[in-house]
Amino acid sequence: MHRVVTETGIMDANDKLADHNRDHFREKGVFVVNLMSAPGAGKTSVLEQTIVRLREWCRIGVIEGDLMTTYDADRISALGVPAFQITTGTVCHLDAAMIHHTLASFDLDGLDLLVIENVGNLVCPAEFNLGEDLKVMVFSTVEGAEKPKKYPLMFHEAEAVLLNKTDLLPYAGVSLDELCDNVRDVNPEAGIFPVSCRTGEGIEAWVEWLKTRMEESRRAR
Amino acid sequence: MHRVVTETGIMDANDKLADHNRDHFREKGVFVVNLMSAPGAGKTSVLEQTIVRLREWCRIGVIEGDLMTTYDADRISALGVPAFQITTGTVCHLDAAMIHHTLASFDLDGLDLLVIENVGNLVCPAEFNLGEDLKVMVFSTVEGAEKPKKYPLMFHEAEAVLLNKTDLLPYAGVSLDELCDNVRDVNPEAGIFPVSCRTGEGIEAWVEWLKTRMEESRRAR
């Protein structure tokens, strides 16, 4: 992240607004996922695969964060799920204030699950709480097995790490075992889910885990 | 990039220091490349391939920017090329001040080419001039053909765009033609080089282009 943002004041202000968002989400009974990854790791594809498996089970809404274009929101809308677009322009992450503003025009009533798809960036989004219940990250296995050690923060913050594009592993020369070991070194507690959005392999395990988390959260309220 | 950084003062201060770096590079007769990409697109692999083809032709030095670890600098040093590591911690890009500080301890004398490998991030590094002669970006074709439109700034700023991992194209369902069209839409002037660091395909064309640019720059001095 940019150095100036490490100033305590800015992060404190963000955390305060994130708490405010969290109160609002709780009041509405919505479980909120902050979905993060580097560009092109497959956040939107994971979301599509998740939606088709979950939409009979719960009511889903999506907030899409992108620098430019509405490509991702269009893909989600095509599945019959309400999608609100935040176009950040030059801002490389979503922050709690952007989500707060969005909630004025995005109706949470009747939703059980809100997924916030963050801007594609393996560094900055992990530093900004949005008021979510769960941080989830998608990592493209093709990016290399050593990346959890080179970019540790997001791996450390995420409660679930989806290792996507496993169908490309035989051609990419990347060891899934080594990658999993490196994720565990950075975050021993994370749920690790090797998946392929192209073949659907592994998606079921991730969706079942998410359902369990949502049910636990519902019971705790 | 983080919104606070769009404040004119911070960018102006960076540009001023970048000019200062540029003067220093000119004085030393060093051609400087700022090499940028998302994490895992293959910057270090491109650099290795470039070094083995160029090291008989000119004297090369490298500055490596990483959040954590010295993996990349170790790979470059193994090729017998001096590599200086900047570990940025939580900072998602290199800026002119970091380069300026580095120059106090990194000897440019006797170098013809300095490559600065930026932190892996498709967004923020493109906003910070370092005093380079040339911005070059590496993009992993596996990340998807639409990305130049979703993350336009770096594509727009780069004078050369290397489209890496072409060996994975047959398995990734990404159209190289569509990707090239999207790069051209964002930046009609850029040199576009499809390459595979695994097979070496396309690297020669990129290296010849770089040599031409270096020779033009030398003649212009």
Side-chain angles (χ1 to χ4, degrees), chain A residues 37-190:
Chain A
S37 82
K43 286 185 299 304
T44 314
S45 299
V46 162
L47 193 43
E48 288 173 325
Q49 294 279 350
T50 304
I51 286 170
V52 297
R53 284 165 177 82
L54 267 187
R55 64 185 166 190
E56 305 295 313
W57 187 77
C58 71
R59 294 156 301 177
I60 309 170
V62 172
I63 295 175
E64 285 289 344
D66 281 296
L67 298 170
M68 298 272 171
T69 79
T70 59
Y71 294 163
D72 294 349
D74 296 344
R75 285 170 63 181
I76 299 306
S77 298
L79 297 174
V81 163
F84 188 93
Q85 177 78 44
I86 301 178
T87 307
T88 63
T90 57
V91 183
C92 63
H93 63 280
L94 295 177
D95 63 26
M98 296 181 205
I99 300 303
H100 180 70
H101 296 319
T102 301
L103 295 178
S105 43
F106 189 70
D107 190 9
L108 294 179
D109 284 325
L111 290 187
D112 304 300
L113 172 64
L114 172 67
V115 181
I116 303 171
E117 185 181 335
N118 221 308
V119 177
N121 183 332
L122 195 57
V123 185
C124 316
E127 308 216 30
F128 290 82
N129 294 318
L130 306 177
E132 68 280 87
D133 292 285
L134 201 62
K135 285 185 167 78
V136 175
M137 79 171 284
V138 182
F139 181 77
S140 164
T141 52
V142 177
E143 292 169 32
E146 83 289 6
K147 292 300 181 295
K149 301 209 156 175
K150 289 186 68 182
Y151 302 86
L153 183 65
M154 193 176 288
F155 288 93
H156 185 262
E157 293 290 308
E159 287 190 56
V161 178
L162 280 73
L163 304 175
N164 192 22
K165 309 194 191 184
T166 53
D167 53 293
L168 293 179
L169 278 171
Y171 317 107
V174 172
S175 158
L176 185 61
D177 286 344
E178 189 189 339
L179 175 55
C180 289
D181 286 348
N182 285 336
V183 174
R184 271 186 219 104
D185 276 354
V186 173
N187 185 347
E189 309 296 330

Side-chain angles (χ1 to χ4, degrees), chain A residues 7-27:
Chain A
E7 288 170 19
T8 319
I10 292 166
M11 301 313 284
D12 280 357
N14 185 75
D15 280 347
K16 204 168 281 180
L17 261 176
D19 287 344
H20 184 80
N21 291 344
R22 186 172 289 112
D23 290 344
H24 187 68
F25 295 141
R26 294 250 161 99
E27 200 178 289

Side-chain angles (χ1 to χ4, degrees), chain B residues 2 14 27 31 38 48 58 61-62 72 74 78 87 89 101 117 140 147 154 157 161 165 192-193 196 202 207 219:
Chain B
H2 298 308
N14 185 75
E27 201 178 288
F31 187 86
E48 288 172 326
C58 70
V62 172
D72 294 348
D74 295 344
T87 307
H101 295 319
E117 186 181 336
S140 164
K147 291 301 180 296
M154 193 177 287
E157 294 289 309
V161 178
K165 309 194 190 183
I192 301 179
F193 301 95
S196 164
V207 170
R219 278 196 299 272

Side-chain angles (χ1 to χ4, degrees), chain B residues 93-157:
Chain B
H93 63 278
L94 295 177
D95 64 26
M98 296 180 204
I99 300 303
H100 180 70
H101 295 319
T102 301
L103 296 179
S105 43
F106 189 68
D107 190 8
L108 295 180
D109 284 326
L111 290 187
D112 303 301
L113 171 65
L114 172 67
V115 180
I116 303 171
E117 186 181 336
N118 220 308
V119 177
N121 183 333
L122 196 56
V123 185
C124 315
E127 308 215 31
F128 290 81
N129 295 316
L130 306 178
E132 69 279 86
D133 292 284
L134 200 62
K135 286 185 166 80
V136 175
M137 77 172 283
V138 182
F139 181 77
S140 164
T141 52
V142 178
E143 292 170 31
E146 82 290 6
K147 291 301 180 296
K149 301 209 155 176
K150 289 187 69 184
Y151 302 85
L153 183 66
M154 193 177 287
F155 288 93
H156 184 263
E157 294 289 309

Side-chain angles (χ1 to χ4, degrees), chain B residues 163-191:
Chain B
L163 304 174
N164 191 22
K165 309 194 190 183
T166 53
D167 53 293
L168 293 178
L169 278 170
Y171 316 108
V174 172
S175 158
L176 185 61
D177 286 344
E178 188 188 339
L179 175 55
C180 289
D181 286 348
N182 285 336
V183 174
R184 273 186 218 103
D185 276 355
V186 173
N187 186 347
E189 310 295 330

